[in-house]
Amino acid sequence: MADKKKLKRDTIITHAGRDPQRYAGLINTPVFRGSTVLFPDVESYEARDPGNYKVMRYGIYGTPTAFALEEAVAQLEGGHAAVALPSGLAAIAAALAAFVKTGDHILVADSVYGPTRNFCDRRLKPFGVEVEYYDPLIAGGIAKLIRPNTTLVFCETPGSLTFEIQDIPAIAAAAHAKAIPVLADNTWGTPYFFRSFERGVDVSIHAGTKYIAGHSDTLMGLIVTNEQYWLKVRKAVADYGYCVSPDDCFLALRGLRTIGARMQHQQQSAVKIARWMQSRPEVLRVIYPALEDNPGHALWKRDFTGAASLFGVILRPVPWEAVGAMINALELFGIGSSWGGFESLAIRADPARVRTATKWNPGGPLIRLHIGLEDPDDLIADLERGLSHLRQAS
Ligand SMILES: *Cc1c(COP(=O)(O)O)cnc(C)c1O
């Protein structure tokens, strides 16, 4: 038997969460539909273990299709176990809710995904949870913000609009010194490019909607935890009644099988396009940790094994409408929410509006590009067309 702990990540992606001999020899765990699970007698029904979330007892706790996805993601990321939820945002909400009660204080990175901030401000604060936003670049300085009633530190690295890389090991060292867990939205890093648990994360959260499902056809959330916090998180997910359709789990697992090939390829194209953008006179700078001159590059290189194909471009000051004209002129880049699929996307954004602990003042308007699997030269030609419209409109 191969030692599972020593397998490289591309091998894990291919083999984890599969057991063909259990399912008539089929390579993929099939779609299992079901709500009620029947037991052979009342004794075994009454003896079912409420703390064991990996055996069949009722559909809400998952069927073998969900178990296969959860096992594969947990193994790839190096966590103890994972649970699937209906969306990335549901995963964030449930993970946060697992660790707070009235009177608690939590620390949340100022660069977090907007809906995460909405959940904290609109749902947690009215329940009497004190939410403090901190500078994402604070590193070990987080120690000074930890109070006796602080119950978690929430990170997102890099920020999905502004791309600050957080020093997760330094934050984790400070939090763990006070026995506080570190929760991290690892959607950009993915279980493939960021092995959270080796960096000190306790609870890793993914919008599986992005690179894991990878085909812009599935909404999915995943929470992966270490052993210490598994039951705390899994019970919270159960208490809220979250569960995921087996069809969506099947699609997410099908996507996961090719995450390595897709992300390596998309990274190559993204680096090429980011460098090209950087050379353009219309561009002030590109914010992408994979580029050598980025402030977060050294930390990214230390902690990640690759870069997602999502980055920001700061344009030289032009009217907001000119930025719109540029994006509207793109023919291959779609305009829309989300990312991590096979197709390229472009949006403009103004993160300054949502910051409270830090100022976001990059010196020009921000566009965010997601690079898909198209030929990068075609995408560059498309961006060239966009930039000519930008010049005409400014
Ligand atoms: C998209 C996204 C989410 C939410 O995922 P959904 O599945 O769309 O709910 C959470 N965090 C980050 C960083 C994201 O980009």
Side-chain angles (χ1 to χ4, degrees), residues 55-74:
V55 295
M56 290 291 298
R57 57 197 165 96
Y58 183 47
I60 202 168
Y61 305 113
T63 64
T65 321
F67 297 162
L69 169 68
E70 292 164 349
E71 185 186 323
V73 170

Side-chain angles (χ1 to χ4, degrees), residues 86-90 92 113 116 156 160 185 187-188 206-210 219-221 338-339 368:
S87 71
L89 185 56
I92 291 164
Y113 176 64
T116 303
E156 180 178 317
S160 59
D185 182 334
T187 299
W188 191 94
H206 301 277
T209 307
K210 310 285 164 64
L219 287 154
M220 176 63 62
S338 207
W339 39 278
R368 190 182 71 178

Side-chain angles (χ1 to χ4, degrees), residues 105-184:
H105 167 253
I106 66 172
L107 290 163
V108 178
D110 206 26
S111 49
V112 285
Y113 176 64
T116 303
R117 185 183 281 263
N118 292 342
F119 179 77
C120 290
D121 292 344
R122 301 207 292 240
R123 303 295 140 206
L124 295 184
K125 281 182 183 173
F127 279 106
V129 175
E130 193 179 344
V131 181
E132 180 175 351
Y133 295 98
Y134 67 86
D135 180 349
L137 301 176
I138 198 166
I142 195 92
K144 291 197 203 76
L145 302 182
I146 296 175
R147 306 178 193 168
N149 61 337
T150 306
T151 56
L152 67 88
V153 179
F154 191 94
C155 304
E156 180 178 317
T157 181
S160 59
L161 274 178
T162 47
F163 299 95
E164 301 92 335
I165 292 280
Q166 296 198 258
D167 190 339
I168 299 289
I171 290 173
H176 293 164
K178 296 277 162 66
I180 295 164
V182 174
L183 281 62

Side-chain angles (χ1 to χ4, degrees), residues 291-321:
L291 298 187
E292 293 76 6
D293 65 349
N294 263 243
H297 181 72
L299 284 180
W300 169 77
K301 215 169 159 180
R302 184 191 71 185
D303 292 345
F304 290 71
T305 54
S309 61
L310 183 82
F311 59 87
V313 177
I314 310 295
L315 298 168
R316 290 190 189 282
V318 283
W320 192 234
E321 299 71 39

Side-chain angles (χ1 to χ4, degrees), residues 34-56:
S35 52
T36 295
V37 173
L38 299 179
F39 290 74
D41 47 49
V42 289
E43 289 76 15
S44 54
Y45 174 68
E46 286 162 7
R48 69 200 189 286
D49 174 6
N52 186 346
Y53 290 94
K54 291 297 152 198
V55 295
M56 290 291 298

